Amino acid sequence: MQLNLNLEEYNIQMDIRELYRSFQEYQRQCYVLESLGEMIKQKIIQAKDQFTTANYDRSVNAVNSYLRKLSAMRQELDELMRSCNQLAEKMEYIERPW
């Protein structure tokens, strides 16, 4: 996902740098959630003998699905942050004193 870089259609009601910082914060939260997901996965693996086979498989699949979704979200945020930088550079170029 990217921001629209066409300045004629620029309609973001927030300063572009503040928007970038918001995306950064979401990304930091994704890393925390991802590390917690990895910890849960390790605990499930360690407790494998406490599960029935079907419940173990469901638990591992649920954690893997969670981690895949977080990874996809981080990738989307990376793309948004790149487009924020591109838009900010474009705006700075236009607004610079000649």
Side-chain angles (χ1 to χ4, degrees):
M1 177 185 307
Q2 288 189 337
L3 295 176
N4 185 348
L5 300 180
N6 188 351
L7 291 177
E8 291 80 27
E9 298 174 16
Y10 181 75
N11 63 356
I12 299 172
Q13 302 300 317
M14 179 186 280
D15 179 67
I16 195 73
R17 289 171 289 280
E18 192 167 320
L19 186 61
Y20 183 85
R21 284 190 292 274
S22 295
F23 293 149
Q24 275 184 317
E25 179 58 30
Y26 294 144
Q27 195 170 52
R28 276 192 290 274
Q29 291 173 9
C30 279
Y31 282 115
V32 169
L33 292 171
E34 192 171 30
S35 66
L36 291 172
E38 289 293 342
M39 285 177 20
I40 290 170
K41 185 176 179 178
Q42 289 305 313
K43 297 224 181 255
I44 290 171
I45 291 170
Q46 291 170 358
K48 183 178 181 176
D49 58 338
Q50 305 293 318
F51 284 94
T52 63
T53 303
N55 287 336
Y56 175 78
D57 291 341
R58 269 186 257 161
S59 299
V60 170
N61 289 339
V63 171
N64 286 337
S65 173
Y66 169 81
L67 292 171
R68 278 192 304 278
K69 289 175 184 175
L70 278 174
S71 177
M73 184 175 176
R74 275 194 303 104
Q75 290 174 357
E76 291 289 331
L77 286 168
D78 285 342
E79 196 172 311
L80 279 168
M81 290 168 64
R82 275 193 302 277
S83 66
C84 271
N85 282 335
Q86 291 170 344
L87 185 57
E89 288 171 2
K90 194 174 191 177
M91 292 168 72
E92 286 173 9
Y93 178 79
I94 291 171
E95 294 172 355
R96 74 180 189 281
W98 293 91

